Amino acid sequence: MLQDYDEKIAQQLLQEVSVEELEEQLRHFSTAPHLAGMQEVGIMAEEITSLWQSWGLNTTVRSYYVLLSYPDSTNLNKVFLMSGDSVTETITLDDAQSPRDSTVPPYAAYSKSGTVTGKLVYVNFGRGEDFHFLERQGVNLTGKIAIARLGQVYVGDKVRHAEMAGAAALLLYPDPAQYQPAGADRGWTLPEDGIFRGDVRITYGDPLTPGYPALEGMFRLNESEADLPGILVQPISIADARKVLGVLDGTTAPPDWWGMTQQIDQRDGNNKQIRVQVNNKQSIKQIKNVIASIPGAVEPDRYVVVGNHRDAWTYGGVEPSTGTACLMELMRTVGLLLKKNWRPRRSIIFASWDGGEFGQIGSTEWVEENIKEMGEKAVAYLNLDGAVTGNYSFYAEASPLMQKVVQDASKTVRDPHGVFSVYNEWAEKFPVGPKTQSPKVDLLGAGSDYAAFLLQAGVPSLDLQYTLDPGFNVSFYPVYHTVYDTFYYVKNFIDPDLSYHRAVTQVLGNTLLRLSDSTLLPFSLAGYAKMIEDFINAAEASYKNSFKQQGLELQFSKVKVVAAEFALAAALAEENAGKTDLSNPLGVRRVNDKMMQVDRLFLTPGGVLGKPLYKHLLLSPSKNDCLQLEEGVCQYRGKTFPGLFGAMREVQSTGKWADVEKQLSIISIAIQSATEFLKK
């Protein structure tokens, strides 16, 4: 049966997307706090199930039982300023805006609980290089209270670094330089009393069932065996940080560390101390994923999955509710197509994930339960999280296979406040390079619900959004994960007329139709070959001399040779795919299956350098910090081969060059095997 992507169908979907419907969905999903494991997010699951069924979608709810972490609302976390052993001021960490505010108090999920007292040490952003600097300066953190600025690296890395350095606790605060940037609308920036909330682990999924689904009756680790932080962690506000940092009067920090303080530690004779009290509790809670499906008319055993997590730390006005609103509106418009007797060529699965804020738990458990089926049948995963975090430009992160399809989809959608397409505006704001006319599609990391799909199942994935101006030099929009992340904030400071929401939904919808309806999957191998080439160039620029000194030139040259062979095989495979007889279903199937398996070819069973859930040799985050700094902001994606990068970082302290040689061999073999696969 012949069925292909139809531009007329795509135009019908684009025209049906309504800003009024989007606004209503955004308002509804950001009206009240809805943290995973709480009653409100369960009620949302029931509402979504009913609505999806009314749109003609076969809808089910899948529950998991996972370890979640909450603060004690009757015994709030506190920070004490002390002189000697006497408390001089108590800072109670609560940012509730009114007595009726039902948000949980500010906390760091999965932090160790207890009370510790010690001297304060400022650790800048808490990056690996920051702690290395302190070590070189002879600053001892053992038993101390570390305090770090939010931003640049993931909070879990800050926590891990502080714990490895021997700190007893870590305080996290938003520095005005990043959260109240000069020239920004005051209403858009973070108020002085705003406090971040977040998961501070260094992995994702349910902590007690890593690698398998958290179903009832499943074996679980003891909490003492789980990969959880071993120190106290607590976020504080700008106003709180001014008080805490006031105890510092010692060593002057380097200028690039300067923010709210210019001192690193306390001078001898300064008897002021900081006491941190964390009263978090952990318990097994039920979370509910809502799953809807549309059977494919031609290839029902091939799936395109679209998902968004609906739970939020507070109101979730931007993240995740902008994504939730876009997902709901996309599904409503798809429902209208179904009523006109349209059916996708391939099956479509829609998902409203639960537990996303706690480390993508809902999506991870679902993938782990369906890992074999996803590995064999999933064509792609499309993700929405904070779908409209700014109004500067459209922006996408994707597996290399998916880069061209989202670029092509963006050409069909008009820029919300311009005369050209989203593609044109995107290419102008985020070009691939100074001499190119195409927009840059960045690589994915592990920071949202695509993680398990891409890194464990090898499913090509995409995450898209409208983003903020990088000129502000901020890691996230300023009210990220605070009580100020509300519907009011979105409407007044980001997208007043919901036109950017409409554009995101339209680009997502067009991408979905291309993937679900195109006879030949619209994947491009050229992006994969270019990524490997870029990784090699980056490795050569950074490590060439080290390889020469250690006698590893031959091993690295082998990687370069097999990469060149992969590029040739990829180009030939793509050329042959273009010659496929579309009337031959077996021939079409063979070409499509080859394309959709490319990411799976780079999965390694044991994971990349000590991260067993991060199995993708090319697209996993490294074991060390981030891999790339752009505009001063850490990007959680690869600059070069993550295993090689991690091994090169660790060899500085371990001297184990055999680990570097091993990584070169693993990379070489993986690329060579992929090349042979493409040639068949």
Side-chain angles (χ1 to χ4, degrees):
M1 178 179 177
L2 288 176
Q3 180 177 339
D4 208 345
Y5 168 75
D6 188 334
E7 192 63 49
K8 293 181 180 179
I9 297 293
Q11 283 301 314
Q12 289 181 40
L13 185 146
L14 264 59
Q15 291 167 8
E16 291 290 351
V17 178
S18 162
V19 292
E20 292 78 16
E21 293 283 349
L22 282 160
E23 180 166 341
E24 178 58 32
Q25 295 289 356
L26 178 63
R27 186 193 307 274
H28 176 72
F29 284 104
S30 57
T31 297
H34 46 289
L35 185 60
M38 300 297 190
Q39 181 180 4
E40 293 84 359
V41 78
I43 293 172
M44 283 184 175
E46 296 172 1
E47 294 173 344
I48 289 170
T49 300
S50 177
L51 193 55
W52 288 3
Q53 289 173 341
S54 74
W55 292 338
L57 304 175
N58 177 29
T59 307
T60 59
V61 175
R62 187 56 169 152
S63 294
Y64 300 96
Y65 299 84
V66 302
L67 184 72
L68 300 183
S69 170
Y70 303 100
D72 185 345
S73 297
T74 65
N75 187 14
L76 299 179
N77 296 347
K78 299 177 181 67
V79 173
F80 303 89
L81 306 184
M82 305 184 69
S83 178
D85 294 328
S86 301
V87 175
T88 59
E89 184 173 354
T90 300
I91 301 173
T92 301
L93 299 162
D94 186 10
D95 57 359
Q97 301 301 294
S98 74
R100 298 178 60 190
D101 190 337
S102 61
T103 56
V104 296
Y107 75 115
Y110 302 107
S111 166
K112 182 180 179 180
S113 293
T115 301
V116 296
T117 304
K119 298 286 189 177
L120 188 70
V121 178
Y122 170 56
V123 297
N124 196 21
F125 286 105
R127 303 167 298 184
E129 52 264 43
D130 296 329
F131 282 91
H132 290 152
F133 172 80
L134 293 172
E135 184 179 8
R136 291 195 300 271
Q137 298 301 308
V139 178
N140 183 3
L141 277 105
T142 303
K144 304 290 179 59
I145 310 299
I147 184 167
R149 296 194 272 183
L150 289 165
Q152 292 213 3
V153 297
Y154 171 57
V155 290
D157 285 317
K158 300 173 192 282
V159 173
R160 180 188 61 181
H161 295 148
E163 184 174 349
M164 291 175 63
L170 174 66
L171 298 177
L172 300 165
Y173 75 95
D175 195 291
Q178 286 78 42
Y179 288 81
Q180 297 176 342
D185 187 313
R186 189 66 176 173
W188 176 76
T189 63
L190 181 66
E192 293 273 312
D193 63 348
I195 307 180
F196 165 86
R197 295 151 173 81
D199 167 30
V200 295
R201 295 181 298 144
I202 58 171
T203 186
Y204 63 91
D206 174 44
L208 303 185
T209 59
Y212 51 93
L215 301 170
E216 277 193 299
M218 188 67 70
F219 169 80
R220 285 170 168 77
L221 300 173
N222 293 321
E223 287 186 30
S224 60
E225 300 173 297
D227 191 2
L228 299 174
I231 62 173
L232 276 61
V233 186
Q234 178 61 44
I236 60 177
S237 69
I238 293 173
D240 298 333
R242 294 187 196 282
K243 299 175 182 179
V244 173
L245 291 167
V247 309
L248 298 176
D249 60 357
T251 308
T252 300
D256 60 345
W257 283 40
W258 292 1
M260 291 179 68
T261 183
Q262 295 183 14
Q263 276 72 46
I264 290 175
D265 52 13
Q266 299 175 232
R267 61 177 172 79
D268 293 340
N270 182 341
N271 72 340
K272 294 179 180 179
Q273 297 191 97
I274 302 297
R275 176 173 293 166
V276 180
Q277 182 183 100
V278 175
N279 303 308
N280 295 354
K281 299 179 179 180
Q282 289 162 187
S283 60
I284 301 294
K285 291 282 189 175
Q286 181 184 25
I287 61 171
K288 298 179 179 181
N289 293 336
V290 185
I291 309 295
S293 60
I294 304 173
V298 181
E299 299 181 71
D301 61 341
R302 292 294 179 266
Y303 311 145
V304 181
V305 187
V306 189
N308 155 265
H309 78 84
R310 68 182 180 278
D311 61 300
W313 289 112
T314 62
Y315 298 91
V318 177
E319 197 266 328
S321 298
T322 56
T324 305
C326 292
L327 175 66
M328 297 296 285
E329 179 59 4
L330 172 63
M331 295 180 68
R332 186 189 70 82
T333 58
V334 168
L336 295 176
L337 293 181
L338 292 175
K339 292 178 180 179
K340 297 178 181 178
N341 296 320
W342 167 84
R343 289 292 183 276
R345 178 186 179 91
R346 301 177 185 90
S347 296
I348 300 174
I349 297 173
F350 293 103
S352 173
W353 309 118
D354 198 356
E357 297 289 24
F358 286 88
Q360 303 96 53
I361 293 182
S363 56
T364 301
E365 302 314 302
W366 189 83
V367 169
E368 289 175 345
E369 183 179 12
N370 299 281
I371 189 73
K372 298 298 183 183
E373 191 170 17
M374 290 299 102
E376 294 173 3
K377 301 177 181 179
V379 168
Y381 174 68
L382 310 181
N383 188 65
L384 289 167
D385 200 333
V388 184
T389 61
N391 50 33
Y392 177 72
S393 173
F394 183 80
Y395 171 78
E397 296 177 337
S399 307
L401 291 175
M402 301 271 278
Q403 292 173 352
K404 186 175 184 300
V405 64
V406 69
Q407 288 175 336
D408 288 344
S410 70
K411 294 176 182 177
T412 69
V413 178
R414 182 172 176 173
D415 179 67
H417 295 284
V419 296
F420 299 109
S421 69
V422 167
Y423 177 91
N424 295 114
E425 182 75 7
W426 181 18
E428 179 182 337
K429 299 289 182 61
F430 292 107
V432 171
K435 297 181 181 180
T436 59
Q437 300 295 318
S438 59
K440 183 179 182 180
V441 182
D442 281 317
L443 299 178
L444 291 162
S448 192
D449 290 292
Y450 50 75
F453 283 93
L454 177 63
L455 304 179
Q456 289 181 253
V459 178
S461 299
L462 165 70
D463 183 88
L464 67 172
Q465 62 176 278
Y466 257 84
T467 190
L468 48 81
D469 187 343
F472 285 122
N473 198 30
V474 296
S475 300
F476 303 101
Y477 60 97
V479 303
Y480 178 70
H481 287 185
T482 73
V483 294
Y484 294 100
D485 191 352
T486 61
F487 175 79
Y488 174 87
Y489 183 83
V490 177
K491 279 285 289 181
N492 284 272
F493 305 112
I494 297 181
D495 194 13
D497 61 0
L498 278 291
S499 59
Y500 294 105
H501 285 72
R502 185 172 190 262
V504 167
T505 307
Q506 290 173 323
V507 175
L508 176 67
N510 190 270
T511 304
L512 173 62
L513 290 180
R514 290 172 185 270
L515 289 164
S516 65
D517 279 2
S518 297
T519 304
L520 285 179
L521 287 172
F523 289 158
S524 173
L525 291 170
Y528 232 104
K530 180 64 167 58
M531 177 188 69
I532 292 174
E533 178 187 355
D534 290 344
F535 280 9
I536 286 176
N537 291 339
E540 187 159 36
S542 300
Y543 310 137
K544 182 178 180 179
N545 291 337
S546 296
F547 290 158
K548 183 176 182 179
Q549 293 170 3
Q550 298 297 324
L552 297 176
E553 289 178 295
L554 181 61
Q555 290 86 337
F556 184 60
S557 66
K558 173 66 173 176
V559 174
K560 293 165 67 175
V561 168
V562 296
E565 293 173 349
F566 177 87
L568 292 174
L572 182 60
E574 201 158 286
E575 180 183 344
N576 290 336
K579 300 175 182 178
T580 304
D581 180 2
L582 301 185
S583 64
N584 179 357
L586 292 179
V588 168
R589 181 74 159 213
R590 177 177 177 276
V591 170
N592 285 341
D593 282 359
K594 176 179 286 189
M595 289 287 191
M596 64 182 275
Q597 288 297 321
V598 171
D599 271 302
R600 279 87 156 175
L601 299 175
F602 292 98
L603 297 182
T604 180
V608 177
L609 268 190
K611 286 192 170 184
L613 298 184
Y614 296 167
K615 301 181 184 299
H616 204 301
L617 285 170
L618 305 184
L619 297 177
S620 292
S622 170
K623 188 178 178 180
N624 305 80
D625 286 339
C626 62
L627 299 187
Q628 186 174 2
L629 278 172
E630 290 184 1
E631 307 291 342
V633 178
C634 183
Q635 306 295 333
Y636 302 105
R637 57 180 181 271
K639 180 69 174 177
T640 186
F641 304 100
L644 177 62
F645 176 88
M648 289 298 293
R649 285 289 294 268
E650 292 187 354
V651 79
Q652 298 172 24
S653 57
T654 66
K656 295 175 65 175
W657 283 95
D659 290 343
V660 175
E661 183 176 6
K662 179 180 179 181
Q663 288 301 316
L664 290 172
S665 295
I666 290 171
I667 294 164
S668 177
I669 292 170
I671 297 174
Q672 185 175 346
S673 297
T675 301
E676 294 304 315
F677 177 85
L678 292 177
K679 287 179 178 179
K680 294 178 181 177

